[in-house]
Amino acid sequence: MSGRVLVGVKRVIDYAVKIRVKPDNSSVVTDGVKHSMNPFCEIAVEEAVKMKEKKFIKEVVVVSCGPQQAQETIRTALAMGADRGIHVDVTGKDYDNLGPLQVSKIMAALAKKEEAQLVILGKQAIDDDCNQTGQMTAALLDWPQGTFASEVTLEGDKMKVVREIDGGLETIKINTPAVITADLRLNTPRYATLPNIMKAKKKKIDKVKPADLGVDITSRLEVLRVDEPPHREAGVKLETVADLVDKLKEAGTI
Amino acid sequence: MLLGLKASRRLLSHRHCFQQYRSIKSENTARSAPLDSVLSAFRSICGEDGVSLGEAVKEQHGKDESMHRCCPPDVVLFPRCVEEVSALAKICNHHHLPIIPFGTGTGLEGGVCAVKGGVCFSLRNMEQVLELHPEDFDVTVEPGVTRKALNTYLRDTGLWFPVDPGADASLCGMAATSASGTNAVRYGTMRENVLNLEVVLADGTVLHTAGKGRRPRKTAAGYNLTNLFVGSEGTLGIITKTTLRLYGIPESMVSAVCSFPSVQAAVDSTVQILQAGVPIARIEFLDDVMIDACNRFSSLSYPVTPTLFLEFHGSERSLEEQVHTAEDITQSNGGSDFQWAKDAETRNRLWKARHDAWYAALALRPGCKAYATDVCVPLSRLPQIIVETKEDLIENRLTGPIAGHVGDGNFHCLMVVEPNDPAELRRVHLFTERLARRALAMDGTCTGEHGVGLGKRALLCEEIGPEAVRVMQGLKDTLDTKNLMNPGKILQPREQ
């Protein structure tokens, strides 16, 4: 057992930002907009760091795929307590078309290369809401998966995962190595403090290209159009019940 | 659209409301007739959506978290930038319309009550974090940015803005009321943490109190205009930007609780902890009545006796030393049951009593409302004032559990009162006046954090004296010749 955990983190538009669609409806506006680590990825990093603090594992390696700015996100994870980072360099059109299939191929390749015992990802990204990367990574590696985890406990060479499902909570026991995806209630991520941000500057970030890992990142999807949700129409105030009934009849609802 | 379609009907009903207002309010500056032309001028500046005459909207903007009754403005404006604020102010100035700035409505002294009607400037659409300089520990924000929103924005930088008045208030609003909070003992109040302000005056002038864009950590340049506006409660201008001093997020935190046999013992411990040089972050006092309420409300079992809640910030090693020193001191003063915790979950559990204090107080008498007093005295006088206050409460059969920022000598009696009982309301009112005068007699102030607003204008005169009041009035007259900025607050009307 290497005692190594691989955590994937994604740089997304900050959750507090009001999203705007580009005038040409090709995508959302990202220039000049605040970006930060995907909230579920923060929870994933926190879980890995907690495991290391409890001495269940030895090393937390953080991975992010994207252009140079992805390194900022890796640095935040390092400031939270991760040991080193891997920046998978993907730019331009390749980055625009990067989706769960490509990322999961990369994660699988890295998991093998780094001999990871565990891969922890956020359950989904708040920009595309795909909720696929963890599952695809597990399939590519032929590893068990504990998705929507709200509680994770290592028990020898197995893992107990409490999953949040529609009906409530489901507890499963899976072998390791495994893939976990973090749900909201798994933990409360710590803030990066200034001293830790300083220390993180000295930690190593390796840069690799997908080709170096033998991964083909061509996408089979094409985004046709992006639209905002329809604007809410103003309501109309009516004076009497008779008016209301008339209006409803007009609108064809009764 | 709605305004356009039903304009005539709305304005008619609006005029009807004016008739009502006319009978209620004594002063009636020229409001109804020119208001219609004024409205179109407003709309041309901040758009149709930026002007609201809706009843619900006006009511929302005529009250805050205090017990002062709602005084809605005549119209609510939603400007989007300082240029719009300035243009709108010029119109109000021309037509002699009162201007009431509105942030989040979380004030506690009726600061946004439009006692003379007028125009409410709701600044919530100006919500940008404008300039962050992490290496310089400063940030500039607009009025729509609240304290929690800023700290969320800053979370990846390792910085935070520590002034924490409890509510998720607008930072510019906090500057306007010189807000403080539970960790003022270590990080200071707004007065110490505002570096620069952009303010729109009553005549539309845009003023930068420390010079445009300037943010040195200290300055000796000219009169301190920045701190003139901090705490001015909207009576001197509309704050449209504030530059704030930031701090590093603490590496680690430890929370502790300790019970004491007497108020004196608790306060003595506080003084000694400060004298020992422990950079304590929060030190909160809860009296026995409050602890009892908290025990009941949160199903806890703290000993029902004066209690201190402490919080320490620092590196792992310095925390050990801080906690050790504090524990020794509390023990030497008869403190017992010293519990402390480092992980977030246990810390929250330990502090739960303090966090829920307001609700615990309200739960003592369901259906009642609460009003918090806010006196602040030199530390050495704290035991005496708390003891005398408790005697007063018992003698007058009032419910007033006490929670206080002992490190600052500031405490709040959470007066729980039946709002429909005029006799009780009167007793509470007299009690709060006695309390304020007691604090003044001990070299203190009638308001440590909440501001003067509507309710403490007379006490302010007693506190600072006629000469200072004259100077304040002179400044007000200079900056706001027509008395349009938030009339009726801080200073008493001259006619009386």
Side-chain angles (χ1 to χ4, degrees):
Chain A
M1 274 299 162
S2 67
R4 191 171 294 131
V5 171
L6 206 63
V7 181
V9 297
K10 185 177 181 186
R11 180 174 180 266
V12 297
I13 296 179
D14 189 88
Y15 71 82
V17 168
K18 285 199 181 93
I19 308 291
R20 283 176 305 132
V21 174
K22 282 189 184 154
D24 63 1
N25 293 98
S26 61
S27 62
V28 301
V29 176
T30 51
D31 281 341
V33 170
K34 182 167 202 281
H35 285 65
S36 51
M37 192 190 295
N38 181 39
F40 295 107
C41 299
E42 286 179 355
I43 298 174
V45 173
E46 175 66 25
E47 195 61 20
V49 172
K50 275 198 161 81
M51 284 182 186
K52 193 178 88 155
E53 283 170 349
K54 291 186 194 152
K55 306 229 194 304
F56 291 146
I57 54 139
K58 292 203 210 93
E59 194 187 19
V60 178
V61 180
V62 152
V63 179
S64 193
C65 308
Q68 188 59 25
Q69 292 97 315
Q71 291 208 6
E72 287 164 20
T73 313
I74 297 176
R75 289 265 170 235
T76 307
L78 294 172
M80 284 171 72
D83 297 293
R84 62 182 166 89
I86 301 174
H87 167 212
V88 180
D89 193 25
V90 180
T91 53
K93 269 256 159 270
D94 286 337
Y95 179 58
D96 293 337
N97 294 332
L98 199 69
L101 182 58
Q102 293 73 31
V103 174
S104 56
K105 287 181 188 171
I106 293 171
M107 290 302 297
L110 281 170
K112 287 199 195 109
K113 182 163 176 264
E114 297 286 336
E115 293 173 341
Q117 179 182 335
L118 195 56
V119 173
I120 312 184
L121 302 171
K123 71 171 180 180
Q124 68 198 59
I126 60 171
D127 50 7
D128 55 27
D129 285 322
C130 285
N131 195 324
Q132 297 165 358
T133 310
Q135 292 86 337
M136 284 178 173
T137 309
L140 287 167
L141 289 166
D142 196 25
W143 285 5
Q145 56 185 259
T147 54
F148 305 97
S150 67
E151 204 184 305
V152 171
T153 328
L154 284 164
E155 291 175 357
D157 59 351
K158 297 203 199 298
M159 247 161 86
K160 192 177 86 173
V161 180
V162 178
R163 307 179 58 229
E164 297 199 10
I165 60 174
D166 282 349
L169 296 172
E170 177 192 60
T171 308
I172 59 172
K173 202 174 220 171
I174 54 178
N175 293 325
T176 54
V179 174
I180 302 287
T181 71
D183 207 326
L184 195 61
R185 278 153 281 271
L186 181 57
N187 59 49
T188 309
R190 66 196 64 192
Y191 284 117
T193 63
L194 274 179
N196 288 339
I197 292 176
M198 294 292 119
K199 283 184 211 153
K201 289 199 172 134
K202 301 199 189 96
K203 295 184 184 174
K204 209 160 67 105
I205 300 182
D206 290 316
K207 194 159 157 176
V208 299
K209 285 207 167 310
D212 302 336
L213 302 167
V215 171
D216 170 22
I217 55 168
T218 34
S219 174
R220 295 175 214 175
L221 298 175
E222 184 194 336
V223 172
L224 296 175
R225 208 187 144 81
V226 177
D227 284 297
E228 283 188 9
H231 283 136
R232 197 177 156 180
E233 297 292 317
V236 179
K237 262 176 145 171
L238 303 164
E239 300 293 316
T240 68
V241 175
D243 285 347
L244 175 62
V245 173
D246 284 339
K247 280 278 175 193
L248 288 172
K249 281 192 180 148
E250 243 175 69
T253 50
I254 55 167
Chain B
M1 278 324 292
L2 179 61
L3 282 167
L5 276 172
K6 303 281 180 202
S8 53
R9 191 178 281 185
R10 288 187 141 276
L11 287 171
L12 273 172
S13 70
H14 199 53
R15 276 202 198 100
H16 179 66
C17 290
F18 279 154
Q19 252 104 42
Q20 285 178 305
Y21 289 170
R22 223 172 273 180
S23 59
I24 292 172
K25 289 170 187 166
S26 50
E27 260 229 31
N28 176 26
T29 51
R31 259 176 304 131
S32 41
L35 194 72
D36 305 347
S37 66
V38 156
L39 286 176
S40 55
F42 288 157
R43 284 189 193 113
S44 70
I45 293 170
C46 54
E48 290 283 334
D49 292 338
V51 178
S52 180
L53 297 160
E55 292 303 314
V57 175
K58 288 190 296 187
E59 268 182 40
Q60 228 186 356
H61 288 82
K63 60 179 167 65
D64 58 14
E65 303 274 346
S66 70
M67 280 179 63
H68 292 283
R69 75 177 169 86
C70 174
C71 293
D74 298 315
V75 57
V76 183
L77 304 177
F78 297 90
R80 294 161 293 197
C81 60
V82 63
E83 291 78 18
E84 285 184 13
V85 175
S86 172
L88 294 166
K90 284 190 177 116
I91 298 175
C92 293
N93 193 314
H94 182 69
H95 292 272
H96 291 256
L97 298 170
I99 296 173
I100 301 104
F102 187 99
T104 46
T106 45
L108 294 168
E109 293 291 338
V112 294
C113 296
V115 292
K116 294 196 171 152
V119 182
C120 173
F121 280 52
S122 171
L123 299 162
R124 70 171 189 215
N125 287 340
M126 294 171 64
E127 50 171 2
Q128 304 237 60
V129 175
L130 288 169
E131 277 169 41
L132 169 64
H133 301 106
E135 329 77 51
D136 299 320
F137 290 78
D138 69 63
V139 67
T140 302
V141 300
E142 289 185 329
V145 179
T146 65
R147 149 184 97 78
K148 288 187 188 171
L150 177 62
N151 282 331
T152 304
Y153 185 97
L154 293 172
R155 69 193 188 283
D156 292 336
T157 59
L159 299 170
W160 72 317
F161 185 67
V163 180
D164 173 7
D168 189 18
S170 147
L171 290 157
C172 291
M174 285 165 62
T177 54
S178 188
S180 165
T182 44
N183 49 26
V185 63
R186 171 139 170 190
Y187 298 103
T189 68
M190 289 306 280
R191 280 191 193 188
E192 289 82 47
N193 291 303
V194 174
L195 296 171
N196 198 349
L197 292 172
E198 177 188 81
V199 184
V200 175
L201 301 177
D203 63 359
T205 307
V206 179
L207 171 70
H208 297 269
T209 56
K212 190 171 162 100
R214 301 208 181 285
R215 49 191 184 83
R217 284 179 73 81
K218 62 185 192 187
T219 174
Y223 299 151
N224 190 347
L225 293 181
T226 305
N227 273 2
L228 172 62
F229 285 90
V230 173
S232 60
E233 302 183 41
T235 59
L236 298 178
I238 305 163
I239 298 177
T240 50
K241 282 192 189 68
T242 173
T243 305
L244 300 165
R245 195 192 295 277
L246 300 173
Y247 295 77
I249 294 174
E251 245 190 271
S252 248
M253 294 194 207
V254 166
S255 297
V257 187
C258 189
S259 307
F260 292 87
S262 65
V263 175
Q264 184 79 49
V267 178
D268 283 346
S269 302
T270 306
V271 175
Q272 285 160 24
I273 287 173
L274 291 170
Q275 286 172 335
V278 175
I280 191 129
R282 283 185 233 255
I283 182 158
E284 295 287 292
F285 169 84
L286 266 59
D287 78 342
D288 53 326
V289 177
M290 180 58 94
I291 284 283
D292 188 45
C294 293
N295 279 347
R296 288 186 218 203
F297 183 76
S298 310
S299 307
L300 303 163
S301 49
Y302 287 114
V304 180
T305 174
T307 309
L308 281 184
F309 287 79
L310 308 102
E311 188 172 288
F312 305 87
H313 294 174
S315 67
E316 302 272 347
R317 279 191 288 183
S318 84
L319 283 181
E320 249 178 90
E321 198 192 321
Q322 288 182 46
V323 175
H324 190 68
T325 309
E327 189 172 10
D328 279 348
I329 290 173
T330 58
Q331 270 173 3
S332 72
N333 284 298
S336 57
D337 302 281
F338 190 96
Q339 298 175 61
W340 62 270
K342 221 170 71 123
D343 62 286
E345 288 80 25
T346 325
R347 273 196 284 117
N348 288 338
R349 209 170 29 83
L350 275 185
W351 264 69
K352 191 167 165 46
R354 174 65 187 87
H355 280 135
D356 294 341
W358 179 264
Y359 304 104
L362 279 171
L364 282 176
R365 297 175 60 195
C368 288
K369 294 214 164 226
Y371 166 72
T373 67
D374 181 35
V375 299
C376 186
V377 295
L379 282 176
S380 58
R381 313 301 303 268
L382 201 55
Q384 182 190 353
I385 194 173
I386 291 184
V387 165
E388 285 180 18
T389 304
K390 283 167 77 71
E391 282 167 8
D392 191 339
L393 285 166
I394 294 170
E395 198 181 303
N396 289 285
R397 293 166 293 117
L398 294 167
T399 320
I402 295 178
H405 317 307
V406 240
D408 307 318
N410 179 212
F411 70 96
H412 306 294
C413 295
L414 305 186
M415 310 303 303
V416 187
V417 58
E418 167 57 65
N420 299 319
D421 179 351
E424 192 183 352
L425 284 169
R426 179 139 180 80
R427 276 187 294 128
V428 168
H429 182 71
L430 292 171
F431 164 81
T432 59
E433 291 206 333
R434 283 195 300 274
L435 173 57
R437 293 200 169 103
R438 203 175 292 131
L440 293 179
M442 296 189 191
D443 304 335
T445 170
C446 63
T447 172
E449 321 185 289
H450 299 167
V452 172
L454 274 176
K456 295 182 181 154
R457 290 173 291 170
L459 290 166
L460 175 67
C461 297
E462 286 180 43
E463 181 171 327
I464 60 173
E467 297 79 17
V469 171
R470 261 197 294 277
V471 173
M472 286 195 183
Q473 188 66 60
L475 288 164
K476 165 78 170 167
D477 291 337
T478 305
L479 290 166
D480 180 19
T481 41
K482 298 180 186 173
N483 189 21
L484 298 175
M485 293 304 312
N486 208 1
K489 314 291 161 51
I490 300 188
L491 295 169
Q492 286 178 312
R494 245 182 299 232
E495 297 83 59
Q496 283 175 344

